Amino acid sequence: LSDRYDASAATQALHEAAELIRDDPNRSGSLLRFGSAGQVVMTGDMHGNLKNFEKLQRFCDLRNSPGRIVVLHELIHQEVGWHARPDTSIDLLVRAAAWKCAFPDNVFFLQSNHELAQLRGQEITKAGRSVLGYFDQGVALRYGAEAGPVLAGVHDYLAALPLAARTDNGIFLAHSLPDPLSLDDFDFSVLERTPDDADLSPGGAAYALVWGRFQSLDMIGALAQRLNVDAFIVGHTPQESGYAVVGRMIILASDHEHGVFLPFDLSKRYTVPELERNIRKFVSVP
Ligand SMILES: [Mn+2]
């Protein structure tokens, strides 16, 4: 057990991943840019799902696929259910950080509302329970007296996350998109800089991007035009059957047994129906 949950290895992986994320050559401000070669594997929310993560690692086979890029977001805060089993989503975060350290040019992360909430101490309650507290308890369960340095590593990692990614073939990747009411005031320049306190707080652009809900067809169309993209791939809104398509926006969920992911090539342009046909179910991965 002590080998498996080695606090100093976890702490080191989280800080090293944070440094790689901050100094990413693909990054400009809080936006990642991917060129015109290789393949992107976009995921939806993972919320601690190690089984799907391991399938994703097998599918991506990064050791033998140097041209493949995988984009992950919302890794923490797993559903604890009515029986209040511990939230051990720290395990997924540590393993994803280690994956980044092993393949810095292939593994990428985006900011999400749960990760932002954990970073900023903005409470989220589900069924009357504090998800931030449950996460901290899971870290204490795994690392005991050494939970403090691990949580400091988590904080460093969460603070480093970029907000979105854009590919040369016109696809925009983010955890969510602003809701229709906040789009008029949305400060697009947040993508060009490191978000500050105001950006990350309620009312700020980074906050609006990761928390947005109920996007309308009109708003998605207007945003696509504004950003000059053909399609958005996001997570955030739960999808029991794995995914949904709303105009130019595809919503993926990767956190349950009907979860999916979406591989696409960077070298060609896609319509939304073509992207939809590329969606793969985790159950199809051995
Ligand atoms: Mn979310």
Side-chain angles (χ1 to χ4, degrees):
L1 198 78
S2 59
D3 273 1
R4 193 159 172 209
Y5 302 113
D6 177 335
S8 64
T11 304
Q12 196 187 330
L14 289 161
H15 285 299
E16 193 181 323
E19 207 173 304
L20 290 165
I21 292 166
R22 277 190 295 266
D23 299 340
D24 198 314
N26 295 77
R27 179 174 184 163
S28 163
S30 57
L31 186 67
L32 295 169
R33 285 179 178 278
F34 299 124
S36 53
Q39 186 189 57
V40 169
V41 178
M42 181 58 175
T43 60
D45 303 7
M46 295 214 76
H47 291 300
N49 193 315
L50 279 179
K51 198 175 159 189
N52 285 355
F53 178 73
E54 287 169 356
K55 285 179 179 231
L56 188 69
Q57 287 188 307
R58 286 197 289 275
F59 177 86
C60 289
D61 188 21
L62 295 180
R63 201 169 299 282
N64 297 307
S65 312
R68 186 170 276 151
I69 285 163
V70 57
V71 179
L72 297 159
H73 53 115
E74 202 140 273
L75 302 182
I76 63 169
H77 294 170
Q78 73 196 112
E79 196 64 62
V80 297
W82 290 105
H83 298 292
R85 63 187 167 86
D87 172 359
T88 51
S89 56
I90 182 64
D91 296 350
L92 174 56
L93 197 65
V94 168
R95 284 166 68 169
W99 203 22
K100 173 72 175 171
C101 297
F103 299 99
D105 300 328
N106 306 87
V107 178
F108 298 90
F109 305 104
L110 304 176
Q111 188 63 275
S112 75
N113 62 307
H114 276 265
E115 279 145 354
L116 182 59
Q118 189 70 38
L119 172 68
R120 307 277 298 173
Q122 295 156 338
E123 192 54 86
I124 301 176
T125 49
K126 274 193 176 169
R129 294 197 185 90
S130 147
V131 301
L132 272 57
Y134 267 75
F135 179 80
D136 291 347
Q137 285 170 32
V139 178
L141 178 73
R142 287 295 190 246
Y143 299 106
E146 292 171 281
V150 177
L151 280 169
V154 169
H155 194 277
D156 190 24
Y157 164 93
L158 296 176
L161 294 172
L163 294 178
R166 193 194 189 292
T167 67
D168 279 357
N169 59 342
I171 300 170
F172 192 87
L173 311 172
H175 178 60
S176 190
L177 300 177
D179 62 57
L181 288 174
S182 67
L183 188 63
D184 283 347
D185 300 323
F186 187 75
D187 178 6
F188 287 89
S189 74
V190 73
L191 298 174
E192 293 158 21
R193 60 172 188 271
T194 301
D196 61 18
D197 268 6
D199 293 320
L200 296 169
S201 301
Y207 188 95
L209 182 70
V210 299
W211 272 102
R213 293 189 199 278
F214 311 120
Q215 293 87 3
S216 65
L217 286 174
D218 284 355
M219 175 247 141
I220 294 163
L223 192 59
Q225 204 160 32
R226 174 67 175 75
L227 292 168
N228 190 26
V229 295
D230 296 328
F232 299 99
I233 311 176
V234 301
H236 191 48
T237 305
Q239 302 301 328
E240 274 182 37
S241 58
Y243 76 96
V245 179
V246 184
R248 291 179 180 274
M249 179 175 74
I250 299 176
I251 307 172
L252 307 177
S254 303
D255 56 342
H256 53 71
E257 58 191 359
H258 302 295
V260 301
F261 56 96
L262 202 173
F264 63 91
D265 291 336
L266 285 164
S267 60
K268 56 172 273 202
R269 290 194 89 93
Y270 285 89
T271 62
V272 171
E274 284 169 345
L275 284 171
E276 185 181 353
R277 282 197 285 278
N278 275 20
I279 290 174
R280 298 279 300 260
K281 291 174 191 275
F282 281 100
V283 291
S284 73
V285 180

